[in-house]
Amino acid sequence: MVSVSRDTAGDASLDVVVVGAGFAGLYLLHRLRSLGFSVRVYEAASGVGGTWYWNRYPGARCDVESVDYSYSFSPELEQEWTWTERYAAQPEILAYLEHVADRFDLRRDIQFDTRITSCHFDETTDRWTLLTDGGERVVAPYCVMATGCLSTTKLPRVPGVESFAGPTFHTGQWPHEPVDFSGQRVGVIGTGSSAIQSIPHLARQAAQLVIFQRTPNFSVPAWNHPLDPDYVAEVKAAYPERRELCRQSQAGFPIEGTPGSASTATEEERAAQFGAKWQEGGLRFLGAFGDLLIDPAANEAASEFLRTKIRERVEDPAIAALLSPTDYPCGTKRLCVDTGYYETFNRDNVTLVDLRRSPIEAITPTGVVTTEATYEFDALVFATGFDAMTGTLANIDIRGTDDLPLIEKWHDGPRSYLGLAASGFPNLFFITGPGSPSVLSNMVVSIEQHVDWIADCLDHLRRTGLGRIEATPEAEEQWVDLVAQLAGLSLFEKANSWYIGANVEGKPRVFMPYLGGVNTYRAQCDEIAANGYQGFSLREGAHRVEARVR
Ligand code: NA7
């Protein structure tokens, strides 16, 4: 166990403090510990898992296939763990992460039930001082935010939102014990990914389910199924090649070759390709052609194909029309992956309320009032999403050199170099931060890449006797420009998505993920490191991190 002295500035026992024990924090702890750094992870939850600790709503699943939504760093782990479904459900993913924590003996360096409230850089010592909600003070030269991209939940901003007298649930903070909605009148606000996964389950239980939709989403069937043992054996036998394909792909999936262009394909070719990708299911649909997220006409063809499928799945044409997005290109809000979502609207106990026609006026102790009607409920489910990518960082009082708050630096949108670091914030790293491929990629692939890059960087600093690394303002500026240029070349700015901060009132409208692809991005990060950390200024720190044998 790393000893962390309380209220002792300059405690030299800790090299790196990590915030968060999800996929990112767990691997980072393992990697840094193997390199002989002393590391301590602080985690607000009572257990490991991050996203998969909190999002326990019925139907919660990954939307990247399980065999690829898993760590690649340990061949032994890859071989011993067997996924049971194409898209694992939340309990299985959480069990996997708990297994990882036990297998690599990680828990002894994780402090649970502890939220970091502030994180200040001291220029005289080149160290970060973090405060916990329990009043503990932690000091370390390096700090890594492994805080996740979707971890700060959001409630709708409507009058009386806290006033409902019955039980309320947010999908991102679901209770640990099963919730029984049998015989109840249940309202669901929101129709994003979490709603689309949970609604079919809720509809099977509740007496009545009323769904309040502001914006319809595009969704593709998961065609989820138990995994055939022969398939799993095949994947396991070829894991090294499969992982490499993921690393060298655009979005972190094991896809070979480059997709063609929808704009040069004939109508028949397009229909055949969309049909084939639909049959494959899930996010693969967006890989049907390489220009779907760039060319408006290509995208419209895909969007119309998806709308046709909605019309086929929903019996009432008026409800099908309400469920069909028409005012943004498919894929520019997260494409959802469902099991029986649209068919749920064919049930007698399910009602869809169009909030564009009749917005919510208030939530009252008994239900929801729109401009047209009053709905009474026994329970309310908020599937209203997250303050994505920056919300959790904004909730920590992070201050860099000259006492500059990160929230102030990012007032007009997040500014980072590579999504990994920010100028004015030496020795601070973000995992899958804004400005990196992050949420537009297989998160586990991107997390591993960032963890490895940061670990190698800290090792380099230690070996070369350096103790301070900071992104230069010039490199940051260029990177921010590049991220914006790539976004401008795409269709993403046409949607009011959480990628662009549109779901949070007052948040600057800036597209946050890097769109150049995980392959290109990895090559850039590697080249920057190989060239002596180009775009960073490195120098001796006022502290020294020694190699330790652990
Ligand atoms: P999302 O995708 O942000 O969805 C939130 C939903 O809640 C979305 O339909 C919103 O409509 C709706 N919402 C939010 N605020 C309101 C108000 N005030 N009134 C009515 N409706 C509202 O979050 P999820 O949890 O579903 O998914 C997050 C990610 O997790 C997902 O993309 C996957 O990557 C996994 P809007 O579209 O803003 O009009």
Side-chain angles (χ1 to χ4, degrees):
M1 168 79 78
V2 173
S3 79
V4 180
S5 59
R6 282 165 197 260
D7 281 311
T8 311
D11 172 7
S13 70
L14 199 58
D15 301 325
V16 189
V17 58
V18 175
V19 188
F23 262 103
L26 291 178
Y27 177 41
L28 187 63
L29 171 56
H30 174 66
R31 222 13 257 284
L32 292 177
R33 214 200 239 169
S34 327
L35 286 168
F37 289 103
S38 65
V39 190
R40 189 144 185 80
V41 178
Y42 289 84
E43 169 56 59
S46 304
V48 299
T51 291
W52 301 104
Y53 176 92
W54 296 105
N55 285 266
R56 298 171 187 243
Y57 59 84
R61 287 178 190 282
C62 51
D63 57 9
V64 171
E65 293 172 36
S66 317
V67 294
D68 301 313
Y69 192 76
S70 53
Y71 291 119
S72 72
F73 71 83
S74 162
E76 297 78 20
L77 173 66
E78 274 176 345
Q79 294 303 319
E80 74 199 14
W81 185 267
T82 298
W83 294 103
T84 65
E85 289 183 274
R86 182 184 190 188
Y87 297 101
Q90 175 272 336
E92 188 171 4
I93 305 173
L94 185 58
Y96 171 74
L97 291 170
E98 286 173 343
H99 169 72
V100 169
D102 293 335
R103 193 192 190 287
F104 297 98
D105 189 20
L106 301 178
R107 292 179 205 269
R108 66 186 159 92
D109 287 328
I110 306 174
Q111 186 167 321
F112 293 107
D113 300 305
T114 307
R115 189 174 285 282
I116 296 297
T117 55
S118 75
C119 179
H120 292 186
F121 188 67
D122 179 344
E123 286 176 79
T124 58
T125 61
D126 286 332
R127 288 172 195 274
W128 286 95
T129 298
L130 289 85
L131 290 183
T132 72
D133 55 357
E136 193 176 338
R137 197 154 78 111
V138 192
V139 182
Y142 300 105
C143 176
V144 186
M145 294 294 170
T147 38
C149 293
L150 296 161
S151 38
T152 294
T153 55
K154 217 182 88 355
L155 285 174
R157 248 177 145 185
V158 290
V161 66
E162 311 269 7
S163 71
F164 185 69
T168 59
F169 307 90
H170 192 292
T171 47
Q173 286 177 321
W174 201 263
H176 288 204
E177 59 285 353
V179 183
D180 186 5
F181 292 106
S182 302
Q184 295 190 4
R185 299 163 303 168
V186 181
V188 180
I189 301 180
T191 49
S193 199
S194 305
I196 283 178
Q197 287 188 332
S198 57
I199 280 169
H201 294 260
L202 299 175
R204 283 197 286 272
Q205 252 194 16
Q208 286 168 33
L209 192 69
V210 178
I211 295 144
F212 295 91
Q213 172 186 275
R214 188 164 66 183
T215 313
N217 267 292
F218 288 102
S219 185
V220 175
W223 309 125
N224 188 39
H225 54 77
L227 286 177
D228 177 351
D230 290 344
Y231 170 76
V232 174
E234 250 172 61
V235 169
K236 285 188 177 183
Y239 247 141
E241 298 79 26
R242 190 177 179 100
R243 300 299 197 184
E244 196 48 29
L245 270 182
C246 291
R247 290 184 199 110
Q248 297 312 328
S249 70
Q250 165 80 16
F253 300 96
I255 293 165
E256 277 176 279
T258 320
S261 146
S263 42
T264 55
T266 63
E267 209 168 306
E268 292 70 34
E269 285 165 343
R270 278 206 298 260
Q273 178 67 350
F274 289 142
K277 288 290 164 185
W278 169 267
Q279 279 311 326
E280 284 182 30
L283 298 176
R284 291 179 192 212
F285 183 81
L286 287 176
F289 291 102
D291 51 359
L292 292 189
L293 292 166
I294 300 165
D295 182 87
N299 187 286
E300 179 50 27
S303 296
E304 186 49 29
F305 176 91
L306 292 175
R307 286 190 289 261
T308 308
K309 291 294 179 189
I310 297 172
R311 290 192 285 272
E312 284 171 19
R313 294 171 72 183
V314 179
E315 287 161 9
D316 182 336
I319 296 186
L322 280 184
L323 289 167
S324 299
T326 50
D327 57 357
Y328 64 90
C330 72
T332 56
K333 276 166 94 78
R334 177 88 175 187
L335 182 66
C336 300
V337 179
D338 75 278
T339 299
Y341 174 64
Y342 293 111
E343 291 77 3
T344 301
F345 292 89
N346 299 331
R347 296 175 64 104
D348 291 341
N349 68 334
V350 173
T351 307
L352 180 65
V353 176
D354 177 12
L355 294 180
R356 288 188 169 172
R357 184 189 146 126
S358 53
I360 296 177
E361 278 190 334
I363 292 175
T364 67
T366 55
V368 175
V369 180
T370 70
T371 51
E372 280 187 357
T374 296
Y375 302 85
E376 306 248 301
F377 296 117
D378 302 306
L380 258 187
V381 174
F382 293 107
T384 41
F386 303 86
D387 184 349
M389 303 196 77
T390 55
T392 307
L393 296 171
N395 284 341
I396 304 173
D397 174 22
I398 302 173
R399 292 183 191 217
T401 53
D402 301 324
D403 211 29
L404 177 70
L406 185 69
I407 195 171
E408 208 170 287
K409 179 186 165 86
W410 286 5
H411 181 265
D412 297 325
R415 302 182 62 76
S416 79
Y417 182 37
L418 302 172
L420 271 165
S423 81
F425 295 80
N427 294 5
L428 177 73
F429 298 95
F430 312 109
I431 306 236
T432 61
S436 71
S438 181
V439 291
L440 282 179
S441 67
N442 177 346
M443 283 300 279
V444 188
V445 172
S446 289
I447 283 170
E448 285 195 323
Q449 187 245 335
H450 268 188
V451 166
D452 288 337
W453 193 94
I454 293 167
D456 291 346
C457 173
L458 296 187
D459 191 39
H460 169 83
L461 293 173
R462 186 177 56 182
R463 279 188 285 106
T464 50
L466 301 171
R468 194 179 192 277
I469 181 166
E470 180 181 354
T472 66
E474 298 75 28
E476 180 179 278
E477 179 81 30
Q478 280 176 18
W479 189 257
V480 170
D481 286 351
L482 175 66
V483 172
Q485 270 172 32
L486 290 169
L489 293 172
S490 79
L491 300 176
F492 276 98
E493 291 177 341
K494 295 194 184 300
N496 290 324
S497 69
W498 54 258
Y499 300 136
I500 206 163
N503 66 328
V504 177
E505 295 77 3
K507 195 165 170 171
R509 195 180 169 91
V510 173
F511 187 77
M512 293 181 276
Y514 163 88
L515 277 173
V518 302
N519 43 5
T520 310
Y521 176 78
R522 175 184 297 271
Q524 282 169 304
C525 290
D526 288 350
E527 193 182 331
I528 284 164
N531 290 339
Y533 294 91
Q534 233 170 3
F536 289 93
S537 73
L538 276 64
R539 61 173 165 85
E540 273 184 27
H543 59 84
R544 196 163 176 82
V545 172
E546 306 287 351
R548 286 183 186 78
V549 179
R550 290 171 56 85

